Every structure is written in structure tokens, then in C-alpha cells.
Amino acid sequence: MHKAIEENPKIKNTLERINNVARIGIWELNLTTKDYTLDKITSDILDLKNRNKINLKETITLFKDKVHRKNIKECMTNLINNGDSFDEEVALETITGKKIWARKIGLADKENGIITRVYGIFQEITEIKKTETQLHSVNSELKSIINSSAVSIVSIDKQGDVMQFNSGAEKLLGFSAEEVIGNLPPTSILLKDELASFSKEFASKFNKEHIQNFNPFYELGLQDIKDTREWTFRKKNGTLFPVELSLTPLKNDLDEYLGILGIFYDITDRKKAEAELLKKNQLLNYAEQITMMGNWSWNMISNEIIWSANMYNIFGRDPKILKKVTFDTYFNHIHPEDRKEVSNFIEITVKEDKFTDVLHRIVLEDGTTKTVHLLGELITNELGEPIEMIGTCQDVTQLRMAEIKFRGLLESAPDAMLIVDEEGTIQISNKQAEKLFGYPSIDLKNKPVELLIPEKFMHTYKSNNNNFFTNIKTSETEKSKELYALHKNGEKIPIQISLSPLETEEGLLISVAIRDITEQKHSEYKILKAKERLEVLTDNLLNKNRQLADFAHITSHNLRAPVSNLNSLLGFYNSATDEEDKAEIFGKFEIVIGHLTETLDTLVEALKTSNGAPTELKKLNFEDILNKTKEILTGEIEATNATIISDFSLVDSVLYSKLYLESIFLNLMSNALKYKSPDRDPVIELKTTLIKNRITLTVKDNGLGIDLEKHGHKLFGLNKVFHRHPQAKGIGLFMTKVQIESLGGTISAKSQVNEGTTFIVTLN
């Protein structure tokens, strides 16, 4: 430090304060002792914690950047060897690793041409470098903006000549910078009328009315001209288009006016969007007038309400007179009887953070009463606090009156009535529906119709897309179906429904008329049962008539021959004179009378069976009946070497007459043994099955078989035989058929000659 300064403490203190503020320190290198001495400021900058001496090599290691380290080493070497001073800005890290920028100045003292000491200044310039970097970045960004094609920029000097015309302006206007700069005035791209209007406006502002053809681009002293507005520009090809132009004065460091900077954007799309928006607003206003609807917004903080034009029409107010709308304005129009309901609705809306809809009446200033329907949405802030409501208000007075009339018609209907939409959702129900189903109307609204008519009862009416009502859109205007409904208590109710489509502006609705037909069903059931009993009686009567005809035929056929035979024998007996002849004729009397008695007994038994003689029904085991039958036929089974096969696994028992079942088994098995084939031992197979919930017994043999084409029509007739067998009488199958049919069963046969016969007996 200079000796004069050292001797003046005041100057010394002032310099030290300046150095502390400017972060300027001092360093010194003793070439003899190699000591590198630092003052306190330099020590603080390098985070040495009051160390005032450091090794030169240690100092060099603080320069982490290779380029800066090499540079500072060369500077120190030249300073020590040649006395070459230096002034460098370098990046380094302190002892604690903190990255900083510093300015290092090196000087040398010589005595007799020999360097005895080197020293210098050390200043931290980190903030300065940051500022320089930021300025450089801003300048780069500014250059990129100016040269960007996304922004159009033109600057004009105070003489009116174009100084700058960037690529954005070139792209937008079609001129090159060379064509414009210094050659074309800015008025070449402006419309005269717009320029004249602009000039007149600014001439007035700057008291220049007296200047003819005032042009602010050429006038001096208009440093404060700042303006942003829409202009119409002309491209090189003559095309006109709208732009937004911002004008700003250009000044130098001495605040001297240099010219004007203009930044402009093509706003063609924006103007189109604005025109479209204007058109839509006009359509919206028109639509609001047609639908008697308006829109509103309510700022719940300022209590200010904004109405659309048609809102004023709905409330009969003049927007020129009613300058400001508040909640009180609206609330005072609400019908006194509806105010509490509306207040409660608003309170619930704010509390539950959900706006549904509300229907209420309003009273106009002239006393007219209207009904309006409000729809809206509640808007909240980040804390969930309500700040605004927006929505629509529709005058539904006429609709309400029509609804009341419709509701009156609906309530006067004798049947339960539902109005549902295409999805089967209930919209309206009448009192009769409440009475029929047990649900209040409010509980049915917006509920699926399946709640009342469950799907399991409706599946036959579903269309391919599972929509019950889709088929309403057919040429038929009404469909009527019978099905079951479900009461609230779970009771099933037989109903008849009629469906009729209702075309509305909101879409297709379906009117569903529902009638309880419980009594009708009971009546139909009684009629059906009476009809069934009548049919049974008719069938029985027909059977009786047929049987009487059969008995008459059988009697005339089977008794005529024995009676005629008896008459002939009686004639022979009366004319015979020899006792021996009479005895012989009398013996023949006994034979004929025996046959006649047997025939009469058969007819009487058949008549008793067909007349439904009392028959006790018991649960009988098929295997037990078969075993008893085999015991009765033991001799014939052994004599014929017959094989009996049975399978009663599917059905092992039946509720039947024991006498009849034993007779059926005995007749069918004895026939199989009686008419066995002479070529093979008989095999009889018995099996039970369940066919259509009816027990069926099949008895199959491998005997002689029957030619059904020839004898099928008389297979079960009385005294009908099909083989020349000495024991064939034609009674067994007849009696079997009579017994089976008397208990409501049937018997049939399948047979092939010389292969066997299968009898199929349906027991019940």
C-alpha cells in the first residue's frame, strides 16, 4: 500500500471499506521465501478462515478448469521471470468447494533490473459474471425473437425509413427485407383510410390539428406514441388481411427519440373465430327466444348477477332501466309461496356442492305469474368454497299448464299408468299405480320398470338389443301383453299391459297402461277347469257310447251263434224219439251252454271294468308282481325252457290296481309263452321307463309275431285270434286293454312275423 496512505488512517479506513464492499483483496509473493501472502478479504473470498499464507502450488489447484489453470500458470511464470503484468478473469473453487469467478491482477517490482517482488489485486466478480450471462441470454433471446418467423417486426427511424424487417414480416407480407429496407415507406402496406383515422387521432392528442396531412411516422417529438390496435395490411400480391399492431417508441441511452418499433400478428383466424362466436351468440339469443330460455351467472362474492337478454324478457324488465341485477332483484320476483322452497334449495346446493334443478313461480311487475325451471352449476375455489353459480332459466308456464292437464288426464285413468323413456326408466306414475304396486310416485321416478315388471317375466318380449321398448317403433301403434307384476311386498300380480309410443322433443316416451286381471284370471281358471271337466265327461261319454257299440256288436256276434245253436239242438231234442239220441243232444246242450256262460262272464267282467268298478290303488313293486306271475306260470316256463329278463332300475314301483297289474303281467307273459316260436326257446324282456313324466312298461318276446298290416285293426278285439293255437280264445288282450284304459292308460304293439312282439303299456 502506498506510504502516504499508510500514514493517513482516514484514507486507509475509507479504502478498506471500499475494498470490503467491492470484494477487492491484495496478494503478494515473496520470491526469496516463496511465501504467498493474502490479506483478509482475499482469504475470505477463498474460504481460508483467516489464513494469510498459502503455498503457491496449493493456490494453482484451486483453478479446476484446465484452460484457466494453464492460463494463470503462464501468467504467473511470465510475471516472475519477465515482470509481465496481467489482468485475467478466471473460474475457480474455494477451499470449501464453492465455485466463484475472480479477477486477478499481477504486478512486479524491480531493483536494478531485477524482480524482487510480485503482487497484485484479487476481486470476486461472481455476481458481475452472472449479470453478464443473463444479459447475454436476454440479448440472444431478443435476437432470436427479432429473427423469428413466428413474430413479425418492423422498425422505422424518425425520418420514416424502414430500419428493420425481420423474417416473420417477410413471411407474412411476401416482401424481402432488401425490397423494403431503405426503399419502401411503411404506408405501402397500410390502407389510406385507416392511416388517416390514426393520424387524425394522434394529431388531436398532440395538438397538431393545424398540420395538414399529419403523419405520426414522420413527425418528430412524438416520443410517447404507444398504441395497440387492429389494422388492415396489404401483402405484396395485393391481398388484404387483418393484423394486431403494437407501436412502441425507440430511444437511445440518452432518452433521445430514434423511431418506432412495430410488432404485428396475423389475426385472420381470430377474426374468423370472433365472427363465428358472434354468429353463435346471435343463434343462441334466437334459440333462447324460441325456447323461452335465458342464461345467468351469480357472483356469490360480489352478489352481482349477469342476465342474458332473454332473462330480462322472461322477468319483464328493461335492461336500460335495470342497470344492475343482484340476488335481491331475482328473489323479489319469486312467488311468496315459493320463496322458502327456493331458499332451502340454495342452502342445500351450497352445503352439498351440487346444483340439481328447481321449479318455482315468479311474479312480474304487472302481476303476471309465470313458472320457471332453473338448471345450473356451482363453482368453488381451491378451498372448496362456493364463489359462483351459473345456469339457465326457462319459462315453462305453458308446459306447466299442459303438464297439469296431462296429469289430470293421467289421474282420471281407471288403470295404473306409467310414462317411461326408451331405456325403460319410469318418468311419471299415477295414483292407480301407487295403489296397485304399493310405491309412492316419488319413489318410482327414475327407477327401472323392471322394479315393477321383473325381467324374468319379461324375457319373451325383449328385443335383440335387450331393450323392452325398442319394438314400439314399428307400424303397430299399440301392443298388449299379459304378464305378472311385482307388488312392493313381493306379491305377484297378474296384469295386462298396453304400450303406446309418445313422440316428444326429448325423444320417444312410452305410455304403459297396466290393469290388474286377478279376478279375470280366477274366472278364466274356473272356466278352464269347467271346460276340462266337460271334456273329460265328453270323452267318458264317447268311450261309453263306443263301448256300448262294441258290446252290442260283440253280443250280437258272440251270442247269436250259441243261441242259434241252442235253438237247433232244442229242435233236434224235441224231434228225437230215441232216449239215447236225446241224451247225446243234451250233452251237447251242456257244452254250448258252458261256452255261452263263459262268454257272458267275460262280457260282464269287461262291462264292470269299463264302467269304472271300484278299484283300490296301491304302491306296487314291479319286481314283486313279476315274481308272483313267474310262480303262476312256473310249469309253462319250465316246459318251454323260457328265459325271463327284467330291468326296473329306472322306475321300480307304481301307484296302481294290484288286480289289474297282476292281470296285465299274466296276460302278456302267458301270450308270449303260448305263441312261442317252434324254432327257439322263448326269451321275455320286461323294462320300465319314464317317458314325458309317464311310467311306461314294455314286454318284448321273440315268438311268432303278428302281421300288423293284416291284423293290427283287431289286435285288442274280443275273441280275435291270429294263430291256429288250440288255446287261443281272443279274450286276454281284450281284457288287458279294457283294464289299462279304465285307469287312464294306453297299450300298443310293435311286431314282426317270426321275430317277436313288443307291447308298450303306458300305465298313467
Side-chain angles (χ1 to χ4, degrees):
M1 189 173 294
H2 195 276
K3 185 176 181 182
I5 295 174
E6 285 283 355
E7 293 176 351
N8 190 330
K10 185 175 181 180
I11 296 176
K12 181 179 179 181
N13 290 336
T14 301
L15 285 176
E16 286 180 353
R17 286 198 303 272
I18 293 173
N19 288 341
N20 284 328
V21 172
R23 301 282 283 171
I24 299 174
I26 298 173
W27 61 271
E28 182 178 350
L29 175 62
N30 189 316
L31 298 179
T32 304
T33 62
K34 303 299 182 183
D35 288 334
Y36 195 83
T37 305
L38 310 174
D39 69 349
K40 184 178 184 306
I41 294 176
T42 305
S43 178
D44 289 343
I45 292 173
L46 297 176
D47 291 337
L48 292 176
K49 297 181 179 180
N50 297 322
R51 286 174 57 191
N52 62 348
K53 289 186 179 181
I54 186 173
N55 187 278
L56 181 60
K57 290 184 178 181
E58 185 180 0
T59 304
I60 296 300
T61 60
L62 297 178
F63 299 91
K64 302 296 182 182
D65 185 87
K66 292 181 179 180
V67 175
H68 287 190
R69 182 187 300 173
K70 180 180 179 182
N71 186 39
I72 205 70
K73 286 176 68 176
E74 289 178 355
C75 287
M76 288 297 291
T77 301
N78 292 333
L79 177 65
I80 295 171
N81 294 334
N82 305 320
D84 297 337
S85 61
F86 64 86
D87 186 347
E88 296 290 333
E89 292 180 358
V90 291
L92 60 122
E93 288 186 12
T94 66
I95 296 297
T96 61
K98 179 181 175 182
K99 295 180 179 180
I100 63 171
W101 276 86
R103 180 184 180 188
K104 187 171 185 179
I105 299 175
L107 300 170
D109 282 345
K110 293 181 180 180
E111 290 184 6
N112 301 321
I114 299 173
I115 299 173
T116 58
R117 181 172 73 103
V118 293
Y119 62 96
I121 296 172
F122 193 86
Q123 179 184 13
E124 182 183 357
I125 58 172
T126 305
E127 294 301 322
I128 296 174
K129 294 297 290 185
K130 284 182 180 180
T131 302
E132 288 178 355
T133 302
Q134 290 173 354
L135 287 174
H136 177 73
S137 176
V138 170
N139 286 331
S140 298
E141 290 177 2
L142 182 59
K143 287 181 180 179
S144 66
I145 290 173
I146 292 174
N147 295 322
S148 171
S149 60
V151 180
S152 301
I153 299 175
V154 175
S155 63
I156 303 167
D157 62 19
K158 60 184 180 179
Q159 284 75 37
D161 296 327
V162 176
M163 295 188 298
Q164 193 170 27
F165 195 82
N166 78 337
S167 59
E170 290 179 325
K171 182 178 179 181
L172 194 59
L173 295 172
F175 292 99
S176 67
E178 290 77 8
E179 291 177 291
V180 177
I181 297 176
N183 296 316
L184 293 178
T187 53
S188 61
I189 62 174
L190 301 173
L191 296 184
K192 291 182 178 179
D193 292 344
E194 292 183 355
L195 182 59
S197 176
F198 177 77
S199 299
K200 184 177 181 181
E201 179 182 336
F202 273 86
S204 174
K205 285 184 179 180
F206 292 98
N207 298 316
K208 297 286 185 179
E209 294 91 342
H210 62 284
I211 299 179
Q212 295 294 325
N213 299 321
F214 172 80
N215 191 330
F217 294 109
Y218 300 148
E219 291 296 323
L220 301 179
L222 303 185
Q223 292 90 334
D224 293 326
I225 181 171
K226 292 182 180 180
D227 183 69
T228 299
R229 68 179 65 195
E230 294 180 8
W231 291 75
T232 302
F233 275 17
R234 181 186 291 107
K235 293 185 179 182
K236 183 178 180 180
N237 61 11
T239 303
L240 300 177
F241 66 100
V243 300
E244 182 177 276
L245 173 64
S246 295
L247 298 175
T248 305
L250 292 175
K251 299 179 182 180
N252 60 17
D253 295 340
L254 301 176
D255 200 34
E256 296 173 340
Y257 176 67
L258 301 178
I260 298 174
L261 175 69
I263 300 175
F264 56 96
Y265 303 88
D266 183 355
I267 59 172
T268 303
D269 291 338
R270 190 178 83 187
K271 296 296 286 184
K272 286 181 179 179
E274 289 175 355
E276 185 67 23
L277 182 60
L278 179 61
K279 181 180 178 181
K280 288 181 178 179
N281 284 335
Q282 291 172 344
L283 289 174
L284 178 61
N285 291 333
Y286 184 59
E288 286 188 349
Q289 293 175 18
I290 293 175
T291 59
M292 299 295 290
M293 183 181 291
N295 64 81
W296 53 270
S297 65
W298 174 26
N299 187 318
M300 301 173 72
I301 306 301
S302 64
N303 196 31
E304 182 180 2
I305 293 179
I306 298 175
W307 281 359
S308 67
N310 209 47
M311 281 289 290
Y312 288 93
N313 294 333
I314 292 173
F315 282 79
R317 302 299 295 269
D318 186 346
K320 295 179 180 178
I321 298 175
L322 183 62
K323 298 294 186 180
K324 184 177 182 182
V325 181
T326 64
F327 181 78
D328 290 338
T329 308
Y330 177 83
F331 196 79
N332 290 335
H333 276 287
I334 298 175
H335 194 285
E337 295 178 3
D338 294 348
R339 288 179 181 176
K340 184 176 181 181
E341 179 185 353
V342 175
S343 296
N344 291 338
F345 172 79
I346 294 174
E347 184 179 344
I348 293 172
T349 297
V350 173
K351 183 177 180 181
E352 297 182 357
D353 192 14
K354 182 180 180 182
F355 193 114
T356 52
D357 68 298
V358 62
L359 195 73
H360 69 84
R361 292 166 294 172
I362 60 172
V363 181
L364 275 55
E365 290 184 321
D366 62 3
T368 303
T369 300
K370 292 183 178 181
T371 301
V372 295
H373 183 209
L374 290 184
L375 286 171
E377 180 180 355
L378 180 67
I379 299 173
T380 59
N381 59 18
E382 296 82 357
L383 301 176
E385 299 169 337
I387 58 173
E388 188 177 9
M389 282 189 190
I390 59 174
T392 61
C393 175
Q394 184 178 16
D395 181 356
V396 294
T397 306
Q398 297 299 323
L399 293 175
R400 185 64 174 166
M401 291 175 63
E403 181 183 340
I404 292 172
K405 291 179 182 178
F406 177 73
R407 171 63 73 174
L409 291 172
L410 205 65
E411 294 298 345
S412 65
D415 297 326
M417 297 293 296
L418 300 176
I419 304 298
V420 299
D421 60 19
E422 289 184 86
E423 302 301 322
T425 303
I426 300 170
Q427 302 299 315
I428 304 174
S429 58
N430 67 353
K431 292 293 182 182
Q432 294 294 336
E434 291 185 15
K435 183 178 178 181
L436 179 62
F437 297 107
Y439 291 96
S441 293
I442 192 171
D443 291 348
L444 291 178
K445 185 171 176 60
N446 295 324
K447 294 295 192 301
V449 75
E450 286 81 7
L451 175 69
L452 307 179
I453 307 172
E455 186 175 356
K456 62 183 178 180
F457 298 121
M458 295 172 59
H459 66 279
T460 56
Y461 309 113
K462 296 281 184 179
S463 62
N464 290 335
N465 65 352
N466 292 324
N467 188 335
F468 177 68
F469 297 103
T470 299
N471 287 338
I472 289 295
K473 295 181 180 179
T474 65
S475 59
E476 301 178 38
T477 57
E478 186 177 282
K479 293 177 180 279
S480 181
K481 303 293 181 187
E482 289 186 8
L483 58 159
Y484 283 91
L486 196 63
H487 191 272
K488 185 177 181 180
N489 61 15
E491 177 187 353
K492 294 178 183 177
I493 308 168
I495 60 170
Q496 184 180 64
I497 65 173
S498 295
L499 310 177
S500 299
L502 301 171
E503 291 289 350
T504 69
E505 294 180 357
E506 289 75 21
L508 183 68
L509 296 177
I510 296 91
S511 169
V512 186
I514 307 169
R515 179 170 297 175
D516 184 354
I517 57 172
T518 304
E519 293 300 326
Q520 180 181 328
K521 284 291 185 182
H522 286 326
S523 299
E524 289 177 359
Y525 178 77
K526 291 177 182 178
I527 293 171
L528 184 61
K529 285 299 180 183
K531 182 172 178 271
E532 290 176 355
R533 288 196 296 270
L534 184 59
E535 288 175 349
V536 170
L537 290 173
T538 302
D539 289 341
N540 289 339
L541 183 59
L542 290 173
N543 287 332
K544 296 299 182 185
N545 289 336
R546 188 183 71 251
Q547 290 169 2
L548 286 174
D550 288 344
F551 283 128
H553 175 73
I554 292 167
T555 302
S556 64
H557 182 273
N558 289 10
L559 296 183
R560 185 183 298 116
V563 171
S564 178
N565 212 5
L566 285 174
N567 286 330
S568 298
L569 289 175
L570 183 59
F572 289 138
Y573 185 82
N574 289 332
S575 62
T577 56
D578 189 352
E579 291 297 329
E580 218 177 272
D581 290 338
K582 285 186 177 184
E584 183 180 352
I585 291 171
F586 190 80
K588 291 181 179 180
F589 263 115
E590 290 180 343
I591 294 172
V592 173
I593 290 170
H595 285 304
L596 182 58
T597 301
E598 183 179 1
T599 299
L600 286 172
D601 288 343
T602 300
L603 289 172
V604 170
E605 182 63 29
L607 186 60
K608 288 167 60 178
T609 301
S610 63
N611 280 336
T615 304
E616 183 182 1
L617 302 182
K618 295 182 179 180
K619 186 175 181 180
L620 304 174
N621 185 277
F622 287 112
E623 198 68 44
D624 293 342
I625 300 299
L626 175 60
N627 291 335
K628 184 175 182 180
T629 305
K630 289 195 290 185
E631 290 174 357
I632 296 172
L633 299 174
T634 299
E636 294 182 44
I637 293 172
E638 291 182 357
T640 58
N641 196 28
T643 301
I644 312 297
I645 301 172
S646 63
D647 180 6
F648 303 132
S649 59
L650 295 179
V651 184
D652 60 359
S653 60
V654 65
L655 190 66
Y656 216 72
S657 165
K658 183 177 181 183
L659 177 65
Y660 286 1
L661 192 59
E662 289 176 351
S663 175
I664 293 167
F665 268 68
L666 184 61
N667 281 323
L668 294 179
M669 288 183 64
S670 61
N671 270 358
L673 294 171
K674 186 186 300 182
Y675 302 112
K676 73 180 187 65
S677 171
D679 301 328
R680 51 188 175 271
D681 292 338
V683 176
I684 304 172
E685 300 178 33
L686 298 95
K687 184 177 181 180
T688 54
T689 56
L690 200 63
I691 300 176
K692 295 183 179 179
N693 293 324
R694 301 188 71 180
I695 299 173
T696 301
L697 169 68
T698 58
V699 181
K700 180 180 179 183
D701 64 52
N702 63 343
L704 295 174
I706 304 169
D707 187 348
L708 294 180
E709 290 186 4
K710 186 176 180 181
H711 303 295
H713 64 286
K714 57 181 180 178
L715 180 60
F716 298 101
L718 182 60
N719 293 335
K720 303 298 181 182
V721 294
F722 316 105
H723 301 285
R724 297 182 182 277
H725 194 282
Q727 298 179 0
K729 296 181 180 180
I731 295 175
L733 287 179
F734 171 74
M735 290 303 301
T736 299
K737 184 174 186 294
V738 171
Q739 290 169 344
I740 292 171
E741 289 182 348
S742 70
L743 292 178
T746 61
I747 183 169
S748 61
K750 296 189 296 184
S751 184
Q752 292 290 332
V753 176
N754 203 32
E755 290 185 10
T757 302
T758 300
F759 287 97
I760 302 100
V761 181
T762 302
L763 295 174
N764 55 25

